[in-house]
């Protein structure tokens, strides 16, 4: 899941704060709530016929997101050979291989790692809930995600005005930019100067269309959505498709949504791309961009996941989602910091 919300610094922490027994005891009610949410999640998916799976955490390819920083390790074989491995940033590639092999709906609550992140909403190691449903549309996945939140969260999130009651708001990215930024987003194409002019803001030095898009999203759109009820922000510009397929009715946009509640980005979802050639071309472009931006980072290069690409030809039409389990627990427990609901926070 792309975690773009919450960039504030967490501030200094006392040494070994996460290992203070009193700190665990004072948070025990919150940690018990974590356990209740996890049990509710498992019951929800088992009742819907999903298969719970487990995939490797140390992998040759941690993901293909351009800007995510990774944790690197090394595997040693008994014969003395070594190979680099990485702690995965998402189980997505592996889970789609399982769907391709079985045709079954699957879910996993996986530990994932993302380096160089930190705020009240971020931890370097956290838990991601991911699930993939064959033959589901993006709309079907929104319905199911809404049902999951209603099964795991209180009717009103404590300390907020957010009601977890149907229907959740569904807002396209174009509608959101028109409403809150006064911009016809899709009309700007990939022209950064045109987007800046339409938004009435200055284009910063070396700021790309993508950079400005995310700046406007964070500054003008995100503060207004998910405040009274959760909001699905849907139909992202095609340049932000990642692993989503384009909308066959409007190729300017991708079948992708993110879910927001109380200013927290909870989830990132795709109607999955199943075209191997197109996905490989996107990966090649992403890898070139990452190499350009992080040429001095020895941990920014890894092999392409050809096993995943090969599986795409057998992947049925499918929708999938990555949801930050820790952030869901934060909403269930009515707390504002991810460290409150981790057993041994950093």
């Amino acid at each position: 899941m792309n975690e773009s919300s919450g960039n504030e610094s967490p501030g200094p922490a006392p040494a070994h704060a996460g290992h203070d027994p009193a700190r665990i005891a004072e948070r025990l009610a919150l940690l018990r709530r974590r356990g209740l949410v996890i049990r509710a999640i498992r019951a929800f998916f088992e009742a819907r016929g999903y298969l719970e799976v487990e995939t490797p955490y140390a992998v040759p390819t941690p993901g293909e997101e351009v800007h995510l920083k990774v944790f690197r390790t090394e595997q040693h074989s008994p014969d003395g050979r070594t190979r680099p491995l990485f702690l995965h940033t998402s189980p997505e590639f592996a889970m789609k291989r399982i769907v391709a092999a079985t045709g079954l709906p699957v879910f996993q609550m996986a530990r994932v790692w993302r380096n160089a992140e930190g705020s009240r909403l971020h931890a370097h190691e956290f838990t991601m809930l991911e699930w993939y449903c064959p033959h589901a549309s993006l709309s079907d996945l929104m319905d199911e995600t809404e049902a999951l939140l209603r099964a795991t969260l209180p009717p009103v999130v404590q300390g907020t005005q957010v009601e977890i009651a149907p229907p959740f708001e569904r807002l396209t990215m174009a509608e959101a930019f028109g409403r809150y930024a006064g911009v016809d987003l899709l009309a700007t194409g990939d022209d950064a100067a045109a987007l800046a002019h339409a938004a009435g803001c200055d284009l910063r030095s070396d700021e790309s269309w993508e950079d400005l898009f995310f700046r406007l999203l964070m500054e003008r759109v995100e503060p207004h959505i998910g405040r009274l009820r959760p909001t699905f922000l849907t139909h992202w510009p095609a340049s932000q498709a990642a692993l989503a397929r384009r909308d066959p009715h409007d190729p300017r946009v991708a079948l992708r949504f993110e879910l927001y509640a109380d200013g927290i980005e909870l989830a990132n979802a795709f109607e999955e791309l199943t075209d191997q050639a197109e996905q490989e071309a996107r990966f090649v472009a992403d890898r070139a961009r990452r190499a350009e931006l992080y040429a001095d980072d020895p941990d920014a290069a890894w092999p392409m996941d050809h096993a995943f690409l090969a599986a795409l030809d057998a992947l049925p039409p499918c929708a999938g989602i990555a949801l930050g389990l820790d952030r869901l627990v934060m909403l269930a427990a009515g707390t504002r910091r991810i460290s409150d609901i981790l057993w041994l926070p950093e």
Side-chain angles (χ1 to χ4, degrees), residues 290-312:
R290 188 169 60 246
E292 176 188 358
L293 292 174
Y294 305 111
D296 296 331
D297 184 352
D299 293 334
W302 46 77
M304 191 178 293
D305 192 337
H306 291 287
F308 163 69
L309 290 170
L312 287 181

Side-chain angles (χ1 to χ4, degrees), residues 20-77:
D20 180 357
R23 177 69 176 133
I24 296 175
E26 71 186 12
R27 295 183 296 114
L28 193 55
L30 302 178
L31 296 168
R32 289 185 188 276
R33 178 60 66 90
R34 181 186 183 92
L36 291 173
V37 169
I38 289 172
R39 287 196 289 275
I41 289 170
R42 186 166 279 117
F44 177 89
F45 285 107
E46 289 177 350
R48 289 174 172 249
Y50 278 77
L51 177 67
E52 185 170 8
V53 300
E54 296 176 284
T55 59
Y57 289 172
V59 294
T61 303
E64 290 292 359
E65 298 92 335
V66 172
H67 300 291
L68 286 182
K69 301 292 186 178
V70 299
F71 285 86
R72 182 187 181 104
T73 186
E74 191 172 62
Q75 181 186 73
H76 293 252
S77 298

Side-chain angles (χ1 to χ4, degrees), residues 1 55-73 83-95 97 110-115 126 128 130 132 243 283 287 290 297-306 308:
M1 179 179 79
T55 59
Y57 289 172
V59 294
T61 303
E64 290 292 359
E65 298 92 335
V66 172
H67 300 291
L68 286 182
K69 301 292 186 178
V70 299
F71 285 86
R72 182 187 181 104
T73 186
R83 67 165 178 161
L85 293 177
F86 301 84
L87 298 177
H88 68 173
T89 60
S90 163
E92 179 173 7
F93 294 177
M95 292 182 72
R97 288 173 59 190
R111 301 297 286 184
V112 298
W113 289 261
R114 298 184 180 182
N115 214 342
F126 59 99
M128 191 84 85
E130 295 204 17
Y132 295 85
L243 284 83
F283 282 172
R287 294 163 73 86
R290 188 169 60 246
D297 184 352
D299 293 334
W302 46 77
M304 191 178 293
D305 192 337
H306 291 287
F308 163 69

Side-chain angles (χ1 to χ4, degrees), residues 131 141-149 232 257 259 321 323:
W131 72 95
L141 189 58
M142 284 188 273
D143 291 342
E144 189 163 62
T145 305
E146 184 173 321
L148 175 68
L149 263 64
F232 292 107
F257 73 72
L259 174 62
I321 182 169
L323 185 149

Side-chain angles (χ1 to χ4, degrees), residues 49-279:
Y50 278 77
L51 177 67
E52 185 170 8
V53 300
E54 296 176 284
T55 59
Y57 289 172
V59 294
T61 303
E64 290 292 359
E65 298 92 335
V66 172
H67 300 291
L68 286 182
K69 301 292 186 178
V70 299
F71 285 86
R72 182 187 181 104
T73 186
E74 191 172 62
Q75 181 186 73
H76 293 252
S77 298
D79 62 5
R81 290 179 300 165
T82 64
R83 67 165 178 161
L85 293 177
F86 301 84
L87 298 177
H88 68 173
T89 60
S90 163
E92 179 173 7
F93 294 177
M95 292 182 72
K96 288 181 187 175
R97 288 173 59 190
I98 292 173
V99 175
T102 66
L104 295 173
V106 299
F107 80 101
Q108 180 174 193
M109 288 178 273
R111 301 297 286 184
V112 298
W113 289 261
R114 298 184 180 182
N115 214 342
E117 293 191 353
S119 78
R120 69 176 182 89
L121 296 175
H122 293 86
H124 290 99
E125 178 183 352
F126 59 99
T127 303
M128 191 84 85
L129 166 63
E130 295 204 17
W131 72 95
Y132 295 85
C133 186
H135 307 293
S137 68
L138 203 68
S139 180
D140 294 333
L141 189 58
M142 284 188 273
D143 291 342
E144 189 163 62
T145 305
E146 184 173 321
L148 175 68
L149 263 64
R150 288 191 280 111
T152 54
L153 295 179
V156 178
V157 176
Q158 182 180 336
T160 76
Q161 296 180 301
V162 179
E163 294 188 12
I164 309 300
F168 290 4
E169 182 179 29
R170 300 186 182 189
L171 191 64
T172 70
M173 189 68 77
E175 291 169 339
F177 267 72
R179 182 180 303 176
Y180 300 117
V183 171
D184 184 348
L185 179 67
L186 300 180
T188 67
D190 60 356
D191 187 333
L195 179 57
H197 177 75
C201 66
D202 293 328
L203 188 63
R204 296 170 180 171
S205 176
D206 297 325
E207 190 171 35
S208 67
W209 184 96
E210 181 182 55
D211 294 334
L212 180 55
F213 164 76
F214 278 108
R215 175 157 68 98
L216 294 172
L217 176 63
M218 294 179 65
E219 293 178 357
R220 301 194 187 182
V221 176
E222 288 183 350
H224 299 285
I225 60 177
R227 296 299 177 176
L228 299 179
R229 54 179 172 153
T231 298
F232 292 107
L233 190 57
T234 75
H235 295 80
W236 286 52
S239 63
Q240 305 304 311
L243 284 83
R245 73 186 190 99
R246 293 193 184 204
D247 186 342
H249 303 294
D250 186 349
R252 297 177 301 169
V253 299
L255 295 174
R256 170 183 177 180
F257 73 72
E258 289 193 357
L259 174 62
Y260 293 81
D262 189 35
I264 296 175
E265 178 206 323
L266 276 179
N268 185 26
F270 306 139
E271 194 166 311
E272 304 293 347
L273 179 63
T274 58
D275 184 315
Q276 177 182 343
E278 183 177 349
Q279 187 63 79

